[in-house]
Each structure stands twice: as structure tokens, then as C-alpha cells.
Amino acid sequence: MSSITRKEFKFKVVLLGEGCVGKSSLVLRFVENKFSTRHLSTIQASFQNKTVQVDDCKAELHIWDTAGQEKYHALGPIYYRGSNGVLLVFDITEQRSFKKVKNWVLEIKTCLGKTAEILIVGNKIDLDDERQVSRQEAESYAESEGALYMETSAQENRGISEAFTALTEKMIQHSRTATAEAPLSNRSIRLIDEEPLEESRRKKCC
Amino acid sequence: MSDKHGEEDESKKAKMHLKANDLLCVNGCGFYGTPQWENRCSKCWRAHQNELKKSQDFAKNKSLLSFDQFQERRKSTTESKSRGIKNLFKTSPIPESGTSSPTSTSPSSTPTRRRDLSPDSLEARKQFSDFLVANLSTAMAQEIARSVKNAVNKISEMRLNSEDMSDLVISYYQYLGDRIGVHSYFNSPDCKVKVEDVMDQVEKYISTCCYAMFFCASHDEEVADMSLQDRIRSLHWVTAGFLETKLVFKKQNVRDKVDEAITELIEINAKKSAFEKLDCLTRSCKAIFEALKESESSTSADEFLPTLIYILFRGNPPLIQSNVKFISRFAVPARLMSGEAAYFFTNLSCALEFARNMNHESLQMEKTEFEAYTSGHMAPPLSVLNTACNQAMYVLEGTIETIVTVAKKAEDLLKNLTGVDKKSDDDLEKMLILIKETVDIFPTDEYIQMKESIFAEEQETADLLVSLSRQSSESGRGTLSTSADNTQPSTPQPQLDPSFESPLAAAIVQKEATDSN
């Protein structure tokens, strides 16, 4: 239907990851192309909009940052409720942050089912000599969970726009297949909706 | 009938009617029963009636209050829901069958009662129609106004609980949005507004109307809110330090922004429509961001959420949970899914969730310690952690700092002053010397005249002195030798040299010389 030729999309993307893995830096780099070690920004880093052009489609990304501290872990579901994509960030120099990613994947799968696309991001590849999580390990894990895997460096601006573009592509695909399947249920609702329209018109005549 | 009998009669009668047990009250109270009262005595019958009414009431209330039942009902056939939606759009007064839909809360078919719109709703209605008239074509405005008016009438007519009404309202938003969205009018160049703007206004009006009926309507919600407020109050000791916020309370700006954020958060409860409530929340959150910026902290979610929780604890806004529920029920769903307000709303939900579930683990402390602080048996020790937000301390500290700097400045000033004083004295002296030198080198006419007149006067005096001394020496000449005469003129002669500055001094010297003779 018309949804296949749709050119404009709106997606909610949630950033999850342990504290200090570089979630905020990643967004700042992506949205403003800025990096600072203390990341003092003139803009607020926790909520950003950015439009991404993929082929001939325009997608508006609403990127939501989340608090990564352990004590707020339980609040995750409130954040990622209704999101189209989830960006799971971990620090390649810290095994623990990768483990947290695995927890999150499980959680998201139970909470959102297959409604959201997952992109796992290994950040800080500029610190390659301190690497604790190998690329193969992360890649094979992502594949087993049906997620994408990308490596980035917010400091050196490597792989970031690629990562967001890849996620956007997947989300567009997803929403196209979803809307292609959806019309049936939509139509039934619309049937109900059309009646009152006629009724109100009829009333006008009277 | 027999309930007026005394105690002694009772035993007598019981014995008398031993064989006719059927006649006694079924409760076995000893009095007689009557068939039309289900074989109860009048007292027992009355009690039974009361019980029955109570249980009916309870069942009625339960259907209103219990959350599980909401869920069940929501899951029940979509048919009933669709009928409900239809009802929302119908213009004619609801037929009797409409009220007896399963979603209706009143079990008996009570006649539908229309509530008059509250003054707020009337105000909202006026604003809404003004907006429509100002921004849309007449036909369009009329169509929307009629549709919304019908919906509002339905809302006040239908006796539904908030959950079901929320479903209806949200599907109505969806329906109206779709319906006006397909109009080509919104794509035409004359159109100044977007579909979203119209929906904002619709939401504003409808949610204001819903406010009177559905905000904190059930007793349960109020109780839940009160208990949450109590809980937050008991957590008063959880200060900015415990929550690891990065706020720098030393700065006046930061403190001001924190106060602003708290005020706005409390203000949410004062607003009627979901739109305005969200607006307050947005302003509150923006103030938080500014406070973080002033504190030179980053503004990522890692800092934002703890700060919001801190603000929530400090402000302890009234009925916040009901407000959050109200917004989630009656706001346009799109507003709660994307955009700035949605993000802040989600964060507020998170903060509330955190407050509800907060325990010793979330603050990384011992359970006993946490409980002692919460119950007020123990006060948290004064440490950087909790004094980090102790504003009074910081104000004091700031004041002391200011005083110290002022004192230092005063000292410096004094030093500078003495220095300036001394320098001016020195300069004056130097200047005088300089003037004298200059005048000596380049004398003015006046100076020369003055010098000359002084010189002349002194010369006169000197001459007088000289003649005086001569007279005295002449009178003594007879006894004195003439040798003095020879030396006398020779002594003043070199002294009268023009290089000799003062003729007076010369005369004195001369007189001394003659005296010694």
C-alpha cells in the first residue's frame, strides 16, 4: 500500500549502557560532531533530535539518553517502552560492561518482543591496546540475538554515523514490514470510526 | 413484633414453643420469625438488610477501585469497547442500552445525569472555539467544533471509570486526528496551523473537561498519593549527596534554578489540562538543565535523572502520581511517545518509580541504617555526602569567603593609601626643588624686581648699620690706635662684592668686626 512508498519516518531510539561507556559522547558526536573529555556542552545531551537521510527516505530520530548507574537499572523498561530502536553501548576495554549489554538484550526481548531493532555498539576503539572484548566475540553474540554490531570511537569520530545509519535502515525495513502486516487490524478499527462520521452527517441534515 | 419482650418472657416462650421451632427466627436469637422476612425476626431482618446493602456497595466500589478488574474489563471483548466508542460519537442522547454496556459502573439502570461544565471547562471551551475561528476555515472549524462538542457531551453523560474513559478518549483523538488529517485544507497555503496544533487544542479542551470528573476521582488513587507523599517525606534525609548529583550549591544561580524547578513541579497540580501539566514539567526540567549547566556538569541522563529525583524529594509535589496518571490517560498519545515533553514525562515516571522502590541497596548502605534514617530513629551523620546540599552551610561558607576577601581588599586599600600619601609628599618636595631651580635658571621680571627691592632694602639697612658703627668707633677713636682704621675699610670691601648675597649679612659681619676692634 501507500506505506511502502512512505518517505518520512519518526523513530524513538533509546541509548542504554553502563555509566561511563560513552553514551552521551556518542550522541554528542553524532548530533553536533563535538567531543570533549569533560563533555561540557552548551546543549543538553540527554534528549536529541536528528534527521537521517537513508537512500531517498528521511527519518527523524528521537534519541533518548538513559541514566547508566546501576541503581537505575530497574527503570530501563520505562525508558524503552514504545521505542523503535535500542542502542546498547558497551566499552570494549571493560568486560563487565559487555555483560551488562547481554542482560539488557534479554530484558528488552522479554519487554518489547520483536518490535524494536537492537544495535550493539562497542565504543572506545581508540583504546585498542586495552581491549578486553574481542570483535569476534561481540559479533557472534549479536548475530545469535539477531542484533547488529558496530564498533565506534566517539573521540576519533569513527563509525558513529555509520552505526546510526545502519540502525535507521533496519528500523525503516522493520516499520515497512510491520505496516504491511498491520492493515487488517487497522481496517477493523477504521470501520468503527467511519460510522460516527456518517451519523454526524446524517444529524446535520436533520 | 416480639422483640419488645423481656428476658423472663423469652425463656418462658422458648419452652412453650419447643415443638414449633419453625416459628422461631432462623438466626436462633429466640424471637419469632416471619416468612416474608425470610423467617427472621425484625431485628435480625434489619441486620441482614444492612449486611446485604453493605456487600452490594462494596461490590460496586470494588468494581470502581480494583485495578485488576480494570485490566480484565479492558481485555474483555472489543465489541463492548467499540460500542463505547460509537457512543462517544453519537449525537442523540444515549438510549438505555448504552448505559447498560459492560463498561458502565452503575449496575442498575440509573437515569443518565448530565453534569454542567465547570467554569474551567467553559473557559477552555471559549479558548478552543476562539482558536478554531481564528485559524481554520469556517466549515472546518464547525465540523471540528461539532465533533468535539459531541464527544465532550458524551464524556459527561457516560458514567465510566477513568480507565475506560481514557481508552475512549484516546481512540477519539486517533479518530479525529485521522479524520482531519486527510483534509486537503491543511496542505493549502491559507492554512496557518498544522493538524498537531489543532489536536493540541482539542486535547486541551477535552482533558480540562475530563479533569473535573476523572482527576483523582477514586479514593484509592488519593490514598496511593498520600502514601507516596508520606514516603517521600520520610526520605527527606536522602539529599543531593546521597543521590550523587553534581549540583554546586555554592552558586546562587544554581540554588535559584533548583527552586524554580521545584516550583514548576508543584505547579503541575494546579493546572487542569494535560497539555498545561506537561508544559509545567517541561519548564521544570529545563530549569534542572540550567542548574546543571551552571554547576558546570554535563547534562547527560546520568546527571539529569538523579537531579530530577532530588527535585522530586525536595519538592514532594502534591498528588504527583494522580497527575502522572491523568496525563498518561488523557494526553494525545503521540505527545507521550516522542518529543521533549515525552522524554521529561518518562523521566518523571522513572523518578517516581525510583522513589517507590528505593531501598538500602539503591543507596549502597546497610538495611538497618537505611531503616533507622527513614523512621527518624537516627540522623545521618554529617558528612560531605549529606551536607553537600546543606544550603545553609553553603550560604555561611559563601558569606565567610566574601568577608575574608573584603577584609583583604580593605587592607590592600589601606596600604595603597599610605603609599599614595608618602609619594605625594615626596613629589611635593621634589616639585618645590624643581620650581626653585627653574626660577633660578629662568627668573621672571617680577622675581628679579622683587630680588632687587629686597637687595636694596638690605643695602639700606646695611648702610645704616655701617654708619652707626662708624659713629661708635669715631667716639672711641681717641683711645684706640689708628691701626684699626687701616684694617676697617679693608674688611667690608670684599664683603660688598656683588656675589655676596645679602648686604645685611655683610653689614652684620662688618659690625661684628668693628665691635671686636
Side-chain angles (χ1 to χ4, degrees), chain B residues 215-267:
Chain B
F215 178 73
C216 205
S218 81
H219 177 63
D220 251 12
E221 280 180 23
E222 208 177 325
V223 169
D225 251 318
M226 296 300 256
S227 69
L228 181 71
Q229 211 166 7
D230 278 346
R231 171 154 175 84
I232 292 179
R233 201 171 298 133
S234 73
L235 292 173
H236 67 93
W237 56 273
V238 180
T239 50
F242 284 112
L243 293 168
E244 292 163 48
T245 65
K246 301 260 166 65
L247 293 175
V248 179
F249 287 96
K250 271 184 196 168
K251 290 191 182 171
Q252 183 63 42
N253 281 353
V254 174
R255 289 201 296 269
D256 288 349
K257 287 289 166 202
V258 164
D259 287 345
E260 193 185 319
I262 292 173
T263 316
E264 291 291 355
L265 203 64
I266 293 172
E267 187 76 11

Side-chain angles (χ1 to χ4, degrees), chain B residues 175-193:
Chain B
Y175 153 80
L176 189 70
D178 288 352
R179 206 176 109 189
I180 60 178
V182 294
H183 260 265
S184 52
Y185 175 74
F186 286 97
N187 296 326
S188 70
D190 319 333
C191 183
K192 290 159 276 177
V193 289

Side-chain angles (χ1 to χ4, degrees), chain B residues 235-433:
Chain B
L235 292 173
H236 67 93
W237 56 273
V238 180
T239 50
F242 284 112
L243 293 168
E244 292 163 48
T245 65
K246 301 260 166 65
L247 293 175
V248 179
F249 287 96
K250 271 184 196 168
K251 290 191 182 171
Q252 183 63 42
N253 281 353
V254 174
R255 289 201 296 269
D256 288 349
K257 287 289 166 202
V258 164
D259 287 345
E260 193 185 319
I262 292 173
T263 316
E264 291 291 355
L265 203 64
I266 293 172
E267 187 76 11
I268 292 176
N269 193 42
K271 300 286 186 221
K272 295 281 189 311
S273 72
F275 184 86
E276 289 167 304
K277 281 175 192 291
L278 279 172
D279 219 34
C280 280
L281 176 65
T282 309
R283 280 201 298 274
S284 174
C285 290
K286 290 211 164 136
I288 293 177
F289 277 121
E290 273 167 43
L292 283 171
K293 247 177 247 168
E294 289 285 343
S295 308
E296 294 185 5
S297 152
S298 82
T299 49
S300 70
D302 284 358
E303 275 76 41
F304 173 68
L305 184 62
T307 315
L308 182 66
I309 294 172
Y310 168 70
I311 298 287
L312 180 70
F313 280 16
R314 273 281 305 281
N316 203 356
L319 299 176
I320 188 71
Q321 201 159 283
S322 296
N323 278 301
V324 166
K325 263 191 192 159
F326 181 80
I327 294 170
S328 65
R329 278 173 186 159
F330 296 108
V332 174
R335 197 194 305 291
L336 298 180
M337 286 315 295
S338 62
E340 198 176 47
Y343 182 72
F344 297 144
F345 184 70
T346 306
N347 271 291
L348 180 64
S349 310
C350 284
L352 283 172
E353 187 69 22
F354 185 77
R356 260 195 295 267
N357 299 330
M358 199 166 100
N359 56 22
H360 56 105
E361 277 166 22
S362 35
L363 294 179
Q364 285 125 29
M365 59 166 66
E366 287 299 311
K367 197 179 174 195
T368 47
E369 201 186 352
F370 180 86
E371 278 164 5
Y373 294 156
T374 308
S375 60
H377 289 311
M378 242 165 86
L382 286 173
S383 68
V384 191
L385 264 186
N386 51 42
T387 50
C389 77
N390 193 333
Q391 292 196 11
M393 289 282 273
Y394 271 120
V395 172
L396 270 180
E397 236 170 62
T399 318
I400 290 171
E401 230 167 70
T402 324
I403 290 173
V404 168
T405 41
V406 166
K408 205 175 167 299
K409 270 187 187 164
E411 209 173 276
D412 287 353
L413 199 68
L414 207 67
K415 234 185 249 171
N416 280 346
L417 267 174
T418 14
V420 168
D421 235 21
K422 204 172 165 298
K423 201 168 173 279
S424 71
D425 279 356
D426 288 355
D427 284 353
L428 196 69
E429 222 164 88
K430 270 186 207 160
M431 193 71 98
L432 280 174
I433 292 167

